[in-house]
Amino acid sequence: MCGIIGRVGDGDALEPLLTGLENLEYRGYDSAGVAVQNGAGIKVQKRSGEVSELKRTIDGDPPEGEVGIGHTRWSTHGPPTDANAHPHTDSTADVAVVHNGIIENYATLRERLREADHEFTSDTDTEVIPHLIQQYLDEGYGSEGAFRRAIDELEGSYAVAVMLSGDHSLYAARQGSPLVVGMQDEEFFLASDVPAFLEYTDDVVFLEDGDVAVVRPDGVEFTDVEGNPVDRERQTVDWDPEQAGKAGYDHFMLKEIHEQPTALAQAIEGRTDPDAGAIDLDGFESGTFEDVERVQLVACGTSYHAALYGSLLLNAAGVHATAHLANEYSVAAPPTDGGSLVIAVSQSGETADTLGALRRAEREGARTLTVTNVVGSTAARVADDALFIRAGPEIGVAATKTFSSQAVMLALLARRIVADRRGDPGTDLGAFLAELERMPDRIDDLLETSHAAGIADRYLDSDSYFFIGRGLGFPVALEGALKFKEITYEHAEGFAAGELKHGPLALVTPETPVFAVFTGEEDERTLKNAEEAQARGAPLVAVCPEDHPATEIADAHLGIPDTDSDLAGLFANVQLQLVAYHAADLLDRPIDKPRNLAKSVTVE
């Protein structure tokens, strides 16, 4: 997780560094710090807490200089204290380092350095890096040579940015954790993610594993650790800087819930033709998937729920498909061969567990594809092919618009796989695509008319919250429960509706409202399961169309439009997002920064 920002250019570095840290807080907010070349060495200011706390500390004594690095931390090694905050320095304070990832051999390196009289002041693995660089500087290496020698000794995953006293360059390296360079005239940036510097430039270069970047006032050099030049493509990121702001909303999460109509319109634009009953997926020619015998989808968290949604659609259409938690897939993957298509689903394209599963699938000979939001991400480069959901930047830690866009993209992909395997698109494809094209406007209407705020208030003091669904309603129930627990800190669980009576029903009381998702498939059975909970005293909240039979017995109702059963759950998902948001707001939770969580999980 963690967020790195670096800046080289004319003028003072502090403002873009602090802006970058604020834009990166979704990656971690346990502590924050900056280091700036001030003309007489390196000045470091850091502290535990959010970036706002750091800014208050800096206000009385701002560092000045044209070169600097900054960091916002999600704790791995060591608790969130002032001492463990980045940047870390060597004993002379001539080397400052920020780091994202885990140095697996840090204990061995630390012991060796201690034997050479290096003194450590933190509990972090990161602190070995400036001391290693100091060691090689003392041995007579220049700045770049000392950096390369130190990086060559590191084992594990890392994105590292280094500044040395008297040197107006930044030195950076990447292995397993994301790092991107931003370029704008004579101003250059390093960051963990593009939103860090989006106000300043949208021209970027994504580093790949094993890359080293030397950022100087006159340009950027890309090499491997040994110094051999590497060619990296300069790209323009199609994101509006305003998308990284709140745009008048109280929270990023609420803004991003309301951005779903736009995100979905972008996801399907140019990819659907209802009149012709055709799907065009960014250059995937007709017949691309005709040899696919089985599909395995790998993902984590919210993306796993989207993957489960996609697997159910494929199975219903006669394609053998399974969804797997990526962290378990990498331990015990099912058999794969040339007829297997492994689809990695990841908003950031940098999720460590998902990348591990993707690489395992490649080793086993499977064809791979990633569904992601970030052009240039590691997953997009590692996989054989990539499909982009085009949702734009998502800042809230709790994913909202990206889940909807992932599910829609997987629905399109599932239909396309089926069409390629059968040789025809099926008689209902045109009707499905027509409903899909109506979806952005209908979600917009739902957002305007939702009663989710009142229902959140009505059941605010409950002991637990249950979410149930059958078929495509099941992953939506799981996602609804995840959103609720992520941002309210209240206990919430999602269940397959039929499983309620196989154990969870023992937990049902009048203080455990049950949110039941109805998609138009197997609704009678889902209603029976909901009634079983209601008979034990549980309040029932039905998520269904206005004329659905469930509304006649439910204690409360969240409306969704009559639509294709493959899409109904995604309307229900928006209602459940709103319930979670309003409950968290009533409880005064830090909605965009839920405790202990971060947006992009780049460590295993």
Side-chain angles (χ1 to χ4, degrees):
M1 280 74 97
C2 300
I4 288 172
I5 181 69
R7 188 265 188 187
V8 176
D10 292 332
D12 189 58
L14 183 60
E15 181 178 347
L17 290 177
L18 292 175
T19 297
L21 291 182
E22 289 176 322
N23 291 345
L24 288 172
E25 273 200 294
Y26 61 88
R27 300 182 65 89
Y29 30 87
D30 290 340
S31 61
V34 294
V36 176
Q37 291 267 16
N38 64 4
I42 295 173
K43 184 171 184 177
V44 176
Q45 289 182 282
K46 59 182 183 175
R47 61 159 300 154
S48 61
E50 298 181 3
V51 175
S52 58
E53 296 295 321
L54 173 67
K55 291 178 72 174
R56 278 192 284 272
T57 300
I58 287 176
D59 278 348
D61 186 22
E64 295 181 358
E66 296 180 344
V67 181
I69 54 177
H71 189 271
T72 180
R73 182 173 185 246
W74 186 83
S75 302
T76 51
H77 286 83
T81 63
D82 290 355
N84 288 336
H86 298 216
H88 288 286
T89 62
D90 67 310
S91 301
T92 65
D94 286 335
V95 182
V97 173
V98 291
H99 162 236
N100 177 22
I102 295 177
I103 306 303
E104 294 175 357
N105 62 333
Y106 85 98
T108 301
L109 294 172
R110 189 174 179 129
E111 184 59 30
R112 189 186 89 197
L113 290 162
R114 275 181 170 155
E115 290 175 358
D117 296 326
H118 288 260
E119 296 183 4
F120 291 83
T121 59
S122 78
D123 303 313
T124 69
D125 56 336
T126 302
E127 198 180 357
V128 300
I129 302 173
H131 285 275
L132 273 176
I133 295 171
Q134 178 194 1
Q135 176 187 354
Y136 288 115
L137 289 171
D138 290 344
E139 291 178 8
Y141 289 88
S143 297
E144 186 173 340
F147 170 76
R148 292 182 184 277
R149 286 297 302 268
I151 292 300
D152 195 42
E153 291 204 51
L154 303 181
E155 297 175 7
S157 65
Y158 53 80
V160 176
V162 174
M163 181 170 63
L164 296 96
S165 182
D167 187 338
H168 278 60
S169 301
L170 294 180
Y171 300 90
R174 175 214 160 118
Q175 182 65 46
S177 291
L179 203 57
V180 59
V181 175
M183 303 179 176
Q184 177 64 34
D185 298 328
E186 297 181 357
E187 187 173 29
F188 303 94
F189 298 89
L190 285 166
S192 299
D193 205 351
V194 173
F197 51 70
L198 201 54
E199 288 98 321
Y200 302 95
T201 182
D202 57 5
D203 284 348
V204 303
V205 175
F206 292 94
L207 271 63
E208 298 185 15
D209 283 350
D211 283 358
V212 169
V214 181
V215 185
R216 301 185 176 94
D218 59 352
V220 185
E221 178 186 14
F222 301 97
T223 66
D224 60 18
V225 174
E226 287 75 33
N228 302 306
V230 296
D231 185 24
R232 295 292 173 252
E233 180 186 1
R234 184 165 174 169
Q235 305 177 43
T236 299
V237 177
D238 188 21
W239 284 356
D240 185 337
E242 291 186 5
Q243 290 180 288
K246 291 182 183 177
Y249 288 91
D250 290 337
H251 299 93
F252 281 110
M253 182 180 180
L254 184 60
K255 170 179 173 278
E256 288 155 4
I257 289 172
H258 281 263
E259 285 179 340
Q260 284 175 108
T262 299
L264 291 175
Q266 291 171 173
I268 65 177
E269 183 180 4
R271 290 168 165 168
T272 62
D273 186 343
D275 294 335
I279 296 172
D280 181 5
L281 294 180
D282 303 336
F284 286 82
E285 300 295 331
S286 179
T288 296
F289 302 104
E290 62 185 1
D291 296 331
V292 171
E293 298 175 7
R294 68 195 64 83
V295 178
Q296 297 166 3
L297 298 100
V298 294
C300 299
T302 287
S303 295
Y304 170 72
H305 299 155
L308 182 56
Y309 201 95
S311 72
L312 293 170
L313 287 171
L314 284 162
N315 281 316
V319 178
H320 182 265
T322 51
H324 303 268
L325 289 165
N327 33 55
E328 293 299 315
Y329 184 94
S330 59
V331 174
T336 58
D337 56 27
S340 303
L341 174 64
V342 177
I343 302 172
V345 187
S346 169
Q347 186 281 135
S348 66
E350 303 292 350
T351 307
D353 290 321
T354 304
L355 291 173
L358 189 61
R359 290 181 172 116
R360 174 161 184 163
E362 283 199 319
R363 290 196 301 270
E364 296 296 324
R367 178 180 173 185
T368 59
L369 184 153
T370 189
V371 175
T372 184
N373 194 33
V374 182
V375 176
S377 62
T378 303
R381 295 195 304 268
V382 169
D384 296 325
D385 296 295
L387 283 173
F388 299 101
I389 65 173
R390 306 173 179 168
E394 186 176 66
I395 306 302
V397 169
T400 50
K401 65 177 180 178
T402 53
F403 172 79
S404 299
S405 296
Q406 286 171 339
V408 162
M409 182 52 58
L410 289 170
L412 287 175
L413 180 59
R415 295 274 181 156
R416 176 59 190 276
I417 291 171
V418 171
D420 282 358
R421 280 168 47 97
R422 293 196 311 207
D424 69 85
T427 57
D428 68 334
L429 181 57
F432 168 77
L433 295 178
E435 284 296 297
L436 184 58
E437 290 208 340
R438 295 177 64 194
M439 194 172 182
D441 287 339
R442 299 180 88 179
I443 287 182
D444 202 26
D445 292 340
L446 183 155
L447 290 166
E448 292 297 320
T449 60
S450 175
H451 301 298
I455 289 176
D457 184 45
R458 180 174 174 180
Y459 297 111
L460 191 65
D461 295 325
S462 300
D463 293 337
S464 293
Y465 301 81
F466 290 170
F467 298 77
I468 65 170
R470 189 180 294 269
L472 291 173
F474 174 43
V476 172
L478 293 176
E479 177 62 12
L482 178 61
K483 283 295 146 293
F484 202 91
K485 71 180 75 172
E486 278 181 317
I487 63 171
T488 68
Y489 309 159
E490 300 295 313
H491 180 254
E493 292 297 333
F495 303 102
E499 278 296 294
L500 199 61
K501 58 183 176 291
H502 293 284
L505 202 58
L507 301 174
V508 165
T509 75
E511 299 303 318
T512 54
V514 174
F515 292 79
V517 176
F518 296 91
T519 64
E521 293 289 335
E522 300 288 341
D523 280 4
E524 290 184 5
R525 296 168 70 187
T526 301
L527 182 57
K528 184 177 185 298
N529 300 137
E531 288 178 302
E532 290 166 349
Q534 194 181 40
R536 274 77 179 175
L540 173 61
V541 182
V543 191
C544 59
E546 297 290 339
D547 59 354
H548 195 280
T551 61
E552 298 176 7
I553 67 162
D555 299 282
H557 171 234
L558 288 165
I560 63 172
D562 282 309
T563 187
D564 191 289
S565 60
D566 287 356
L567 301 175
L570 302 183
F571 288 95
N573 173 66
V574 176
Q575 289 282 28
L576 297 179
Q577 290 173 350
L578 289 169
V579 170
Y581 171 81
H582 289 296
D585 195 34
L586 289 165
L587 292 166
D588 198 28
R589 305 299 193 215
I591 291 171
D592 289 331
K593 302 173 186 177
R595 67 187 179 202
N596 303 330
L597 302 179
K599 183 71 175 172
S600 182
V601 185
T602 57
V603 294
E604 293 182 343

